[in-house]
Amino acid sequence: MQTEPDANALQSQARDIVDHMLARDAFSRWLGVEVLSVAPRRVVCAMTVRTEMVNGFGVSHGGIVFSLADSAFAFACNTHGRVTVAINNTITYPLAVHVGDRLTAEAAEAATSVRIGYYDVTVRNQHGATVALFRGTAYATKQLHSSG
C-alpha cells in the first residue's frame, strides 16, 4: 500500500526544487530575485527595481515586472516535483513601478487538473499597492525534478 508523503516531506521537496532552480536561473539572479517563502504550490519572491530596469518614460519596463511574476510562477508550479513549463501567461499593470521600488510577487495555485495548473501571481510594491496581476497556465510533464 502506497502512502502519501507527509507535509514536512512535501515542504522539503518544494524548497529543494526552488533552491535548485534559482541556482541555475541566471536571469532571475540578475533581476535580484530573492525567494522569501516556499510551500507546495506557493512561492513569494521579491526584488528591488534598479536604474537599468526603466523604460524611456522613466518607469520600470513592463518586462521587468512580468519577469518577477513569471519567476515566482515558475517556482510555484514546479514545487510538486514534476518539471512544469508555462504554456500561457497574461498580465495587467494597474500601477506604475519606479526605480527603488521593492516588489513582492506572491504566486499560488488557483486550480489544477492532472497535467494543467492555473496560478495567480499578485505583485505589490513596498506600500502594499498592487502593481501587477499575472495569471499563468502551466503544463506538468512526466519528468521528475532531479534531487540536485
Side-chain angles (χ1 to χ4, degrees):
M1 182 162 112
Q2 189 174 8
T3 61
E4 290 294 316
D6 69 18
N8 289 336
L10 293 173
Q11 176 63 36
S12 179
Q13 171 185 269
R15 186 75 222 195
D16 289 348
I17 289 169
V18 171
D19 288 347
H20 183 72
M21 288 176 67
L22 184 59
R24 298 177 61 169
D25 185 343
F27 186 70
S28 290
R29 290 192 322 272
W30 176 85
L31 285 172
V33 171
E34 302 166 48
V35 177
L36 302 180
S37 69
V38 175
R41 302 173 192 265
R42 178 179 296 274
V43 170
V44 179
C45 295
M47 64 166 279
T48 301
V49 178
R50 302 185 309 266
T51 304
E52 67 267 27
M53 296 175 170
V54 299
N55 62 24
F57 298 109
V59 297
S60 176
H61 193 288
I64 295 296
V65 179
F66 181 95
S67 294
L68 172 62
D70 188 45
S71 290
F73 162 61
F75 297 146
C77 71
N78 276 277
T79 58
H80 58 75
R82 287 188 183 182
V83 173
T84 302
V85 296
I87 57 175
N88 186 53
N89 300 315
T90 60
I91 194 165
T92 303
Y93 304 101
L95 191 63
V97 172
H98 303 279
V99 171
D101 281 352
R102 176 78 172 163
L103 304 180
T104 303
E106 296 184 44
E109 185 180 82
T112 189
S113 67
V114 174
R115 292 280 199 187
I116 303 295
Y118 303 92
Y119 288 75
D120 291 325
V121 183
T122 301
V123 182
R124 293 181 177 88
N125 66 18
Q126 67 275 15
H127 306 294
T130 299
V131 300
L133 298 167
F134 176 106
R135 166 58 67 97
T137 305
Y139 175 78
T141 70
K142 292 181 181 180
Q143 181 181 347
L144 297 177
H145 279 276
S146 64
S147 59

